[in-house]
Amino acid sequence: MQGQLDDNNDLFDTVSQSLERLDRQRGVTADKDTPHRISRQSFSWTSSQPVEVGLFASNSQCGYLTGAGYNSSQKLHIGCYSSIESGRKTTHPVRVSVVLERRSSELVYPDGNAFTWAKGWDGSTHIAGTRLRIVSTYAANPELIWRRAFELLGALVDSHQLAELYAKTEYTTLRVGGVETYHRHHNKTLLGVSDTIHQTAGLLVWSEEDCKEHLSLERGERLLHRLQSPHFGLLGFDMTIQFEHKGARYTDDISDAVVKVYEHLEASRLPSGHSLTHPKSEVKIHGWYPAPAFETVVRRATTILHAYLAWGGVEASDLVTDDHYTPDDHELVTTPLPTEYLTRLDRYYRSDQIRDTAIGHLFHRQTMAPHDIIATLLFRSSSSRYGSSSLPYDALVEHTGLAKETVRRHVRKLEELNLVKRVRSHKMYVALCKESRNVLRELVLPAKRTVGKVMDEVRNRALARHERRDASNEDDDDESSNLEVVTPAERRDAEEHWVSISRMDYLPEDLPELVRDGVISRDDIYLRK
């Protein structure tokens, strides 16, 4: 959470003076590795357990211009530690820390340009005063976070001054960020939830939207699966917020959300009945939002979380209590996934089948003819009423160097596989099917390849086909070697074994590919028994 005081930077100056005094008294300048120990005390969130309060400063992104040049301003960090001497922060699940910064019109960036900071979310409030940035876990509302920050500041500022400063809170500058909601659920449900996250990651990639999925370590918990995207709204989730303040209505959009599943690093070594042996699923909303929208942001995060758990097969009876969470405190996991998500997921599954079909036809054969036809439709066509990737046969012939009959033959096969469609107008057009376009683009243009490189290769093969066709004076110009010509002697010797082509299971135009695939040999074509 962040916000400002209308205090002319009095809070910042008070804490800064305390830090300077401690630096002088102790003969050392505090930093993040060696903060000054202010006190040892308990707070409302530490369950009567005392913690050590530490203070240090770091450089801010802004500062002041003096006669000697640019002088950086400071950020003052106040946090809780298990032991400042050993540099260990508190391991208590509820964490609270505060960073203070000055805000005034004299501040500049290192390049000398005037420093700017956000106005209030009402669009008009813009004040000089101490800025607070607070990290607080397990907080039910912004007011609790703000109160915790001032309770921590009480280790440095006397209660009378602190009360006066608290009263100078500028409400319209209060914003919440990093809102999280979670459920801990039985480890037997982990696979179902993980599969749902992977399905959505694939769905978003297939939809050509931004998403990130990776494995990593995070704060004592082993992150198993993580999906981040700004496009959950496209899946049917409501990612807008609205609220009223003093009669005015405010609206905003949620920037992006993160869905993640993780387990404690010590899970495998804990007793089987321990709550931390079970995974934790969490949704985090990125971005900063007006404090009055907090409940709405939490509701949006909870909706996504419940939908994923429900789709992953988690039921209310699967939820597990831990030190700071009981299932009774949360709604039951009953939120269904949005209809739009299910519709897109169905299309995505169909695209998986399309992918397998396309790979089998484009890359399991020696000929590059189907590949080059698809590449040409992808990268040399323009939008028309026949489709966003459509070309007439003549254009395909020109770009691929294939004979028109060869193009027709491959197009018929691609159409049978539902990869392309033929559209008849004043001439015949070939267009990519809508469902196959993204899949085909991914296959034809893999990572680290460019459209220019792919089409250069298509062009080179087209030139080679022209030269080979001109040299052999043949129409069929696939990459296979020319079929041998049957001599009169061979024909006479083979007549008693000859099988009419009309009685075979193969079409004449299929024979070159059947030879390449090893289904039949050249001899079988004219000596087949």
Side-chain angles (χ1 to χ4, degrees), residues 498-506:
W498 192 272
V499 177
S500 169
I501 197 76
S502 64
R503 292 164 50 195
M504 296 174 64
D505 295 331
Y506 312 116

Side-chain angles (χ1 to χ4, degrees), residues 1-4 97 99 101 118-121 131-136 142 145-146 172-179 241 243 251-256 284-294 297:
M1 182 176 181
Q2 63 176 337
Q4 275 189 257
S97 62
V99 178
E101 291 186 84
K119 294 181 178 181
W121 40 259
R131 182 223 190 205
L132 291 78
R133 178 160 178 164
I134 310 156
V135 173
S136 180
I145 299 173
W146 199 248
T172 58
T173 67
L174 300 185
R175 291 180 171 90
V176 291
V179 175
I241 54 176
F243 66 94
T251 61
D252 202 352
D253 293 319
I254 292 175
S255 58
D256 70 339
K284 181 175 183 177
I285 303 295
H286 284 184
W288 292 97
Y289 306 97
F294 178 81
V297 176

Side-chain angles (χ1 to χ4, degrees), residues 194-398:
S194 300
D195 284 348
T196 304
I197 291 177
H198 279 285
Q199 289 164 1
T200 307
L203 175 60
L204 290 172
V205 170
W206 172 73
S207 300
E208 294 188 312
E209 305 296 354
D210 299 330
C211 82
K212 301 174 184 177
E213 186 183 15
H214 64 263
L215 305 177
S216 66
L217 296 176
E218 182 176 281
R219 290 204 177 200
E221 306 271 355
R222 189 157 64 94
L223 187 58
L224 302 177
H225 304 282
R226 180 182 187 274
L227 170 65
Q228 176 178 343
S229 174
H231 299 292
F232 281 91
L234 296 180
L235 303 179
F237 292 104
D238 184 357
M239 302 300 281
T240 62
I241 54 176
Q242 293 184 356
F243 66 94
E244 289 188 2
H245 177 67
K246 293 184 177 180
R249 176 173 290 275
Y250 298 86
T251 61
D252 202 352
D253 293 319
I254 292 175
S255 58
D256 70 339
V258 178
V259 181
K260 52 188 176 182
V261 183
Y262 49 102
E263 64 180 9
H264 199 278
L265 282 172
E266 302 295 323
S268 61
R269 291 185 282 274
L270 291 171
S272 59
H274 199 288
S275 63
L276 296 184
T277 61
H278 299 285
K280 184 178 177 181
S281 288
E282 181 179 281
V283 171
K284 181 175 183 177
I285 303 295
H286 284 184
W288 292 97
Y289 306 97
F294 178 81
E295 290 186 4
T296 303
V297 176
V298 171
R299 188 161 56 249
R300 299 290 182 253
T302 302
T303 299
I304 296 173
L305 175 64
H306 286 180
Y308 273 84
L309 293 184
W311 184 246
V314 178
E315 299 178 353
S317 59
D318 295 317
L319 302 182
V320 177
T321 300
D322 64 27
D323 290 341
H324 292 273
Y325 161 88
T326 56
D328 293 339
D329 295 336
H330 293 67
E331 301 173 33
L332 295 179
V333 184
T334 55
T335 306
L337 280 171
T339 302
E340 178 64 19
Y341 177 91
L342 299 177
T343 301
R344 284 175 174 260
L345 194 62
D346 180 60
R347 290 170 56 198
Y348 168 59
Y349 281 142
R350 290 203 300 270
S351 79
D352 258 358
Q353 299 170 358
I354 293 172
R355 181 181 285 102
D356 292 341
T357 299
I359 290 174
H361 192 66
L362 298 185
F363 301 106
H364 286 186
R365 299 182 183 278
Q366 295 177 15
T367 178
M368 293 295 288
H371 172 281
D372 292 353
I373 290 171
I374 294 297
T376 302
L377 286 170
L378 281 168
F379 307 127
R380 289 295 178 265
S381 60
S382 57
S383 297
S384 71
R385 62 193 179 97
Y386 309 110
S388 60
S389 299
S390 61
L391 286 171
Y393 276 107
D394 290 344
L396 290 173
V397 169
E398 176 186 352

